[in-house]
Amino acid sequence: MNKWLYLILALVLVGCTTQGEKKEEVETLTTQPPIIPDILEETATESTVPVEIADIIPLEISDVTGIPSRRTIYFDYDHSNISAEARNILKEHANYLIEHPDAWLRLEGHTDERGSREYNLALAELRLYTSKEMLKILGVQEDQLMILPYGEERPSSLEHDEESWLLNRRVELVYP
Amino acid sequence: MRTLFFCLLTYLTLFNQSHAILTIDITGGTEGGGQPIAITPFTLETGLSPLFEDIAKIVSEDLYRTGRFAIMPKHTLPEQPLDSNQIQFSQWQAAGMPHLVVGRILSREGAYTVEFELFDVLKGKQMIGYRYPANTQNIRQIAHQISDQIYHTLTGERGVFSTRIVYVTVQRNDKKVQYHLYIADVDGANPRMMLESPEPIFSPTWSPDGQHIAYVTYQGDGRNKGMAIYIQEISTGQRKVVSAEQGMNAAPAWSPDGTRLALTLSKDGNSEIYILNLQDSALTRLTNNPAIDTEPEWSPDGKSLVFTSNRGGRPQIYRISSQGAKAQRLTFKGSYNARPRFSPNGEQLALLHNGGNGYQIAVLDLKSKQYKILTKTSLDESPCFAPNGSMILYTTGTSLSAVSIDGRVHQRLAEALGEVREPAWSPFFD
């Protein structure tokens, strides 16, 4: 009789614990969904330049993909001239594009918020035009360059002061 | 299922409204101005269930916002006549009211009927009276038509209360930006979403018959990402690309006869103005200059266009024949004149002007060459005329504003949840 009682008690206990475990399992599943790993992009691994000791310094201006890290050039108010600083940045990108003839670059043109929207779009377009011409002079093939004017539509700073306006008058060099 | 569908519809309607409703405030200039008028509450025939909309309130607000009327406050009305034969004109004369509006809502064979009458108080005579077949859906529309009739009778000018506006809203959540294109009644009611996009939408403009809008946005991705000009039919929402050239596709402007679209393209080097024939898609180049040429606008007679160019160093307005030939400079005052829009009679240009006090809205009289600066803010944009020429609607900062052509009355149209910009006022719909 005692044996039977123990057995039943044991079964009940097992039942309880398994039930409890199951319940816990369900809760765990609902609160913690499985972690889906990010898929590493092929280009990132493929174009990684093998690092030698002598390459450490260039790495400061390049990320692991080899694309120059300075990807924005700035302009004066209502102007589209390429400054010396901007030319240096464009030179880095020209070198990269010459070394990677399969790569292509999209130049996105922006202005500050002052003035009319459509005039600013045309001004952004003019900045793209001068940037593109400079890259071509520096040896980049025309078919490696796409342009997209945004005008005042996509400010990088939303404030309404000289500092923000300066940051917003720019061409961004985008490797999509 | 039907209930679910209804719930979904209600949800969508509420959702849309919570995202887009414009509120209008008079921000200055009406004090002491405007002719007095009394508008009594519209009486409801006994037994009729009350309507959602208050017609007298809508008419009062319409007339008040023009700045040309001083509406008698409701609590000071000497009487609320149930019928026109009950009006005691002496009471209204004593109250100093030259004009009085009375109206009523009746039921005829199961449908609503709205009647109104406008009285000359001194003569004790009806000036106009109309009856409208109504239902619960068209009460606002009828109220605006009543406002149009009163305004026309008392000012001699056509009212714009039944017209609409198109505008762009921008909502920023963290780094995500959503652009919407809306059409709403001119008082901000009945907003209807025409387009939603993560890409910028700009330069919306009405076709001369008010049935289509043209606008600019971006399409495609990767190497194919680019600008495109769309034409969208308002009634169906159907749209088509009319220009997607390499580089810039911008600044669409309909010819007054609706057969052509002036636009700015950079496919041949830099920004130039072209005319696209909408019937055979033929493209004609209008300008040829290494400087920026953009923002074309047709004169109301269709014979010429005005546009913005920096060919003289800074942005200024030029005029060119729609057949081509040499452009003539129109603006000489101020360092910046851009984005011209003709007044309906073709005698004035509304433009964006900088004469040293920031970017302001100005009106240039083409005969006298006089500028009139209408705003005091410094980051204004995108002016356009009301179809009767009485007001100019524009963007200031993150909201819209309207100013009467004499600069006296200012209104602000704001959207609670985001930025509103680039308004365009519809033509009259008949």
Side-chain angles (χ1 to χ4, degrees), chain A residues 21-125:
Chain A
E21 271 168 20
K22 257 186 194 168
K23 209 177 175 186
E24 222 172 318
E25 216 175 349
V26 171
E27 274 175 7
T28 315
L29 273 176
T30 49
T31 51
Q32 286 186 330
I35 297 159
I36 300 162
D38 282 335
I39 297 162
L40 289 174
E41 281 185 48
E42 254 185 312
T43 49
T45 45
E46 251 184 12
S47 57
T48 304
V49 183
V51 181
E52 287 176 21
I53 292 163
D55 281 331
I56 286 169
I57 293 161
L59 261 181
E60 285 178 4
I61 54 155
S62 308
D63 62 22
V64 285
T65 60
I67 297 170
S69 62
R70 292 195 290 173
R71 295 179 197 169
T72 308
I73 58 174
Y74 297 95
F75 294 83
D76 288 339
Y77 172 70
D78 201 23
H79 280 85
S80 54
N81 316 23
I82 305 292
S83 67
E85 171 80 355
R87 192 186 185 281
N88 289 337
I89 295 171
L90 292 175
K91 178 73 181 155
E92 291 168 15
H93 288 269
N95 291 343
Y96 175 81
L97 289 165
I98 292 164
E99 280 169 32
H100 300 83
D102 293 337
W104 63 277
L105 170 66
R106 183 163 68 222
L107 301 151
E108 297 184 351
H110 304 271
T111 67
D112 68 34
E113 63 182 334
R114 293 173 293 171
S116 87
R117 213 159 269 281
E118 286 284 3
Y119 180 81
N120 282 340
L121 190 73
L123 183 59
E125 222 275 338

Side-chain angles (χ1 to χ4, degrees), chain A residues 105-165:
Chain A
L105 170 66
R106 183 163 68 222
L107 301 151
E108 297 184 351
H110 304 271
T111 67
D112 68 34
E113 63 182 334
R114 293 173 293 171
S116 87
R117 213 159 269 281
E118 286 284 3
Y119 180 81
N120 282 340
L121 190 73
L123 183 59
E125 222 275 338
L126 207 55
R127 286 173 180 163
L128 292 172
Y129 183 76
T130 55
S131 307
K132 187 180 167 183
E133 288 305 300
M134 180 59 75
L135 285 166
K136 280 159 68 180
I137 289 166
L138 294 168
V140 180
Q141 295 298 310
E142 170 113 42
D143 65 5
Q144 286 180 282
L145 301 170
M146 304 297 289
I147 57 163
L148 198 58
Y150 276 111
E152 61 177 281
E153 299 296 331
R154 294 215 149 147
S156 74
S157 169
L158 290 170
E159 300 303 313
H160 313 286
D161 51 33
E162 290 291 345
E163 202 181 326
S164 290
W165 293 332

Side-chain angles (χ1 to χ4, degrees), chain B residues 11-33:
Chain B
Y11 169 74
L12 284 175
T13 314
L14 290 172
F15 180 81
N16 274 354
Q17 293 210 343
S18 71
H19 272 249
I21 199 102
L22 289 173
T23 54
I24 305 185
D25 296 308
I26 299 270
T27 51
T30 53
E31 279 164 47

